[in-house]
Amino acid sequence: MTAIERASAGLDRACLILAKLALGGMVLAVLLQIVARYVFDYPFIWTEELARYLMVWAGLLGATCAFRRNLDPVILRVPADAARVRIVITSIVLAATVLIFLGPILYHAFYGSNGTLARGFLMRAANRTSPGLGLNMALVSSIVPICCTILLIHLAARVVKGPTEQDQE
């Protein structure tokens, strides 16, 4: 196992744990909101916001886990007994597609359309605060470049590993 494959596996374990914690936290926040609203007739203003942010984090972290396990949606599955050339071309198209999709997202997370840091997604988010929790929105939004980076590491590990039967299922 190469270093990039070990890094991918370690990140996958961490993402899975964090996604599970985020889902559990989301459930607890919603339950707290239900109890506060219907039992005590005093709903909290921050529970819905917390559940929403945890849902975003859980979803994006879970997406990285799905990608690593080849459970993400695909348009075409290549059979395991396909010609080697077809399997390689499919892997190249997958890598190109992921790079074309994630490249601009990762770039614009830091740089704005005019190429300055001040206009990037995270810097604009840093200038805002969530109304209920008072969190800096850059903290909430930071999951976007984090997940893009993790997906690129998973892609690199997949490329280094080469196409396997699991990729073709």
Side-chain angles (χ1 to χ4, degrees), residues 42-125:
Y42 185 77
F44 297 114
I45 60 172
W46 53 270
T47 51
E48 288 180 43
E49 190 174 288
L50 177 63
R52 184 172 45 248
Y53 298 150
L54 289 172
M55 180 184 67
V56 170
W57 272 70
L60 289 173
L61 290 169
T64 66
C65 297
F67 181 78
R68 181 159 193 288
R69 289 169 175 77
N70 300 314
L71 298 173
D72 51 323
V74 295
I75 295 171
L76 176 65
R77 296 242 184 240
V78 179
D81 59 349
R84 179 83 176 147
V85 173
R86 184 175 176 193
I87 293 171
V88 169
I89 289 172
T90 304
S91 298
I92 291 169
V93 169
L94 170 71
T97 304
V98 171
L99 290 172
I100 289 168
F101 180 73
L102 292 181
I105 294 172
L106 198 53
Y107 176 81
H108 287 290
F110 299 103
Y111 298 100
S113 56
N114 59 357
T116 61
L117 285 170
R119 297 285 302 146
F121 174 67
L122 287 178
M123 286 302 287
R124 286 181 288 133

Side-chain angles (χ1 to χ4, degrees), residues 146-168:
I146 289 170
C147 283
C148 286
T149 304
I150 292 169
L151 285 168
L152 290 174
I153 291 169
H154 289 333
L155 177 65
R158 190 184 285 189
V159 168
V160 166
K161 186 177 182 184
T164 63
E165 280 191 30
Q166 183 185 1
D167 292 338
Q168 312 313 316

